[in-house]
C-alpha cells in the first residue's frame, strides 16, 4: 500500500502553497474521479489537499445578469439553483445528464472541469499511454477507440474530455478563475483545456499547482433559450457518445445569435464556431442547421471505430437547434 498525507485547507493561498511546494500533490474535491484513479494506481499523490472547506461554495448572481460559481459548489446544488434553471437552462440540463444523483451530490465544479479522460488504456497501468506515461505510445489509436475523438486529435492521443458541464459552459462563454503560484487570473473556458498535440499529459493551460477558485458566466439574456442534448449507450448513468449544447436567439425567422458546443468529440469541449458563423443571419430551418453542422464537421477525422459520431453530432445539432427554434415560436 502506498501511503499519502491528507490536509484539509481553509484558505486558497495556503492550498496553492502546499500543492505547488510538493511534486506529487493533488487537490481533492468530491473525490469521485481522483479516488477511483488512486485505487487503480493511475494517480499516486503523496499529499492530498482537500479543497471542499475553502470559502468557494456559493453561487452568486451578479448585478449585470451574469453569474459567479464557486469551485466547490456541488454539481447537484448548481443544477438546482433557481437562477441557473431560469437563466442558463443549458447548464442545468448538462449537469442533470451526468453521472447519478449520488455522484452529483459529491462532485464539485472544479473537480468536474478537471476530471480525467475515460479512455480505457489511460485507466489500465499495464498498457502504453502517452497521457499517463509520456513517450510510451497510444494504445487507443489501433485499439478500442469507439468512444474517443473525431476532432482535434493527434497521433500522440485521441482521448476525449468526458465532462457534460464543461460543454454547456463552453457554449456560455464562461471563464475559469484560477489561483496560480504567481497570482490570480481568468482563462476563457474554451482555452482552459488543451488539445493533445505531442504533450497529452498537459491537459490545461493553467500553471502547475493552479487551483480553480470559480467559474464566471457573463450576462447573456438570450441564454434562457438554451438546451443540452446528450446521446449515450444507456438512458442514464453513462458518459456521452456525443452531445450538443446550444443557445439560440431568433429575430423573426432569422438567426440573430447562436452558440454551439460539442461534447465527447475532442480533448476539450469543442466550440463549433464555423457552424455558428454559417448560421448567423440565416433562416432558422432544419436544412440550414444541417448545413452548419456539415461546415463544422468537415474537419472531422473519425478513428476506425467511431465514424458514427459524425452523423450522430450532425443529427444532434439539427434536433437541438430545431427544438430551440420551435420553443421560440410558442
Ligand atoms: C460512474 C460514474 C459515472 C459518471 N458519469 C459522468 C457523466 O455522465 N458525465 C460527466 O460529466 N461526468 C461523469 N462522471 C464524472 C464526475 O462528474 C466527476 O467524477 C466529478 O465531476 C469530479 O468532481 P470531483 O469534485 O469529485 O473531483 P475529484 O475527483 O475530487 O477531482 C478530479 C480532479 O480535479 C482536481 N481538482 C479538484 N478540485 C480542484 C480545484 N478546485 N482546483 C484544481 N484542481 C482540482 C483533482 O486534483 C483531480 O485531479 C461520472 C463519474 C462516475 C464515477
Ligand atoms: S488516447 Fe490518450 S489516454 Fe488513451 S491511450 Fe492514447 S494517449 Fe492514452
Amino acid at each position: 500500500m502506498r501511503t499519502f498525507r491528507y490536509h484539509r485547507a481553509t484558505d486558497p493561498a495556503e492550498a496553492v502553497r502546499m500543492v505547488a511546494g510538493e511534486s506529487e500533490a493533488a487537490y481533492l474535491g468530491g473525490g469521485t474521479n481522483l479516488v477511483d484513479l488512486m485505487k487503480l494506481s493511475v494517480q499516486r499523490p503523496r499529499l492530498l489537499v482537500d479543497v471542499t472547506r475553502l470559502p468557494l461554495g456559493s453561487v452568486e448572481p451578479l448585478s449585470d445578469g451574469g453569474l459567479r460559481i464557486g469551485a466547490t459548489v456541488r454539481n447537484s446544488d448548481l443544477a438546482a439553483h433557481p437562477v441557473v434553471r431560469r437563466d442558463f437552462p443549458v447548464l442545468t440540463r448538462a449537469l442533470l445528464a451526468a453521472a447519478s444523483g449520488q455522484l452529483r451530490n459529491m462532485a464539485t465544479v472544479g473537480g468536474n472541469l478537471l476530471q480525467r479522460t475515460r479512455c480505457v488504456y489511460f485507466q489500465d497501468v499495464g498498457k502504453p499511454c502517452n497521457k499517463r506515461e509520456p513517450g510510451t505510445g497510444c494504445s487507443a489509436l489501433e485499439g478500442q477507440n469507439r468512444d474517443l475523438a473525431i476532432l482535434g486529435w493527434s497521433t500522440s492521443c485521441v482521448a476525449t474530455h468526458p465532462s457534460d458541464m464543461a460543454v454547456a459552459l463552453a457554449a456560455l462563454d464562461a471563464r475559469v478563475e484560477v489561483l496560480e503560484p504567481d497570482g490570480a487570473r481568468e482563462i476563457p473556458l474554451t482555452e482552459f483545456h488543451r488539445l493533445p498535440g505531442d504533450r497529452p499529459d498537459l491537459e490545461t493551460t493553467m500553471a502547475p499547482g493552479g487551483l480553480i477558485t470559480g467559474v464566471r458566466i457573463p450576462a447573456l439574456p438570450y441564454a434562457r433559450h438554451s438546451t443540452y442534448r446528450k446521446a449515450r449507450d444507456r438512458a442514464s448513468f453513462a458518459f456521452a457518445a456525443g452531445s450538443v449544447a446550444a443557445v439560440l436567439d431568433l429575430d423573426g425567422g432569422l438567426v440573430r445569435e447562436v452558440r454551439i458546443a460539442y461534447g465527447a468529440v475532442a480533448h476539450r469541449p469543442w466550440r463549433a464556431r464555423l457552424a455558428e458563423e454559417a448560421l448567423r443571419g440565416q433562416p432558422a430551418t432544419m436544412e440550414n442547421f444541417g448545413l452548419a453542422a456539415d461546415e463544422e464537421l468537415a474537419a472531422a477525422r473519425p478513428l476506425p471505430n467511431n465514424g458514427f459520431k459524425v452523423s450522430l453530432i450532425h443529427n444532434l445539432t439539427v434536433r437541438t437547434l430545431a427544438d430551440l427554434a420551435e420553443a421560440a415560436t410558442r
Side-chain angles (χ1 to χ4, degrees):
M1 196 188 353
R2 185 174 155 110
T3 58
F4 60 86
R5 288 177 289 127
Y6 170 88
H7 176 79
R8 185 178 281 166
T10 51
D11 171 54
E14 172 212 8
V16 173
R17 263 196 311 279
M18 289 194 78
V19 168
E22 180 130 354
S23 62
E24 294 178 84
Y27 298 111
L28 178 69
T32 61
N33 187 221
L34 178 57
V35 173
D36 281 356
L37 292 174
M38 288 172 67
K39 288 182 189 160
L40 294 168
S41 292
V42 172
Q43 284 187 250
R44 295 156 58 87
R46 292 221 173 264
L47 169 66
L48 282 186
V49 176
D50 185 339
V51 298
T52 57
R53 304 298 164 92
L54 294 178
L56 304 171
S58 61
V59 181
E60 297 157 33
L62 305 174
S63 55
D64 66 357
L67 200 63
R68 188 191 174 275
I69 305 160
T72 61
V73 172
R74 305 286 175 169
N75 287 185
S76 45
D77 292 334
L78 184 58
H81 195 282
V83 175
V84 178
R85 292 178 56 178
R86 185 192 63 202
D87 293 348
F88 305 102
V90 62
L91 183 53
T92 289
R93 294 211 171 115
L95 284 160
L96 294 181
S100 65
Q102 290 94 330
L103 284 160
R104 294 193 294 271
N105 285 343
M106 291 297 293
T108 61
V109 166
N112 189 310
L113 285 177
L114 288 177
Q115 62 176 294
R116 314 295 303 276
T117 183
R118 307 305 287 198
C119 172
V120 292
Y121 304 106
F122 175 73
Q123 297 179 348
D124 181 347
V125 291
K127 297 285 186 330
C129 169
N130 285 325
K131 181 182 282 298
R132 182 172 26 76
E133 216 178 323
T136 55
C138 171
S139 301
L141 261 183
E142 295 184 1
Q144 285 186 42
N145 49 42
R146 175 184 179 273
D147 295 329
L148 303 184
I150 57 170
L151 287 161
W153 54 267
S154 72
T155 50
S156 294
C157 179
V158 293
T160 50
H161 193 271
S163 168
D164 290 294
M165 180 192 78
V167 183
L169 292 175
L172 292 170
D173 274 340
R175 299 175 72 82
V176 186
E177 297 178 348
V178 300
L179 182 61
E180 297 170 322
D182 285 345
R185 67 177 173 128
E186 283 186 14
I187 307 173
L189 189 122
T190 49
E191 294 164 24
F192 182 73
H193 300 97
R194 293 176 74 254
L195 289 179
D198 57 5
R199 290 297 307 273
D201 53 314
L202 301 178
E203 298 184 331
T204 74
T205 53
M206 186 168 61
L211 171 76
I212 297 178
T213 53
V215 171
R216 194 173 279 268
I217 303 179
L220 192 67
Y222 66 87
R224 288 187 179 197
H225 310 294
S226 64
T227 196
Y228 185 75
R229 189 177 278 260
K230 169 175 175 177
R232 46 188 154 174
D233 290 342
R234 287 191 304 265
S236 76
F237 206 19
F239 287 90
S243 68
V244 173
V247 188
L248 184 65
D249 185 30
L250 295 183
D251 178 10
L254 298 183
V255 175
R256 183 165 30 213
E257 235 340 308
V258 62
R259 310 271 179 86
I260 306 167
Y262 295 154
V265 295
H267 204 250
R268 66 180 179 205
W270 189 267
R271 183 70 183 266
R273 296 194 192 277
L274 296 175
E276 293 174 6
E277 196 47 48
L279 278 173
R280 283 194 193 99
Q282 298 301 313
T285 61
M286 303 265 277
E287 189 189 353
N288 284 337
F289 298 152
L291 288 171
D294 289 342
E295 190 80 23
E296 190 70 41
L297 293 167
R301 290 179 297 143
L303 300 163
N305 308 128
N306 71 5
F308 74 95
K309 284 198 181 192
V310 178
S311 46
L312 178 71
I313 293 291
H314 175 278
N315 295 344
L316 284 174
T317 308
V318 174
R319 195 59 261 163
T320 307
L321 292 171
D323 284 353
L324 288 173
E326 235 171 86
T329 60
R330 270 187 231 129

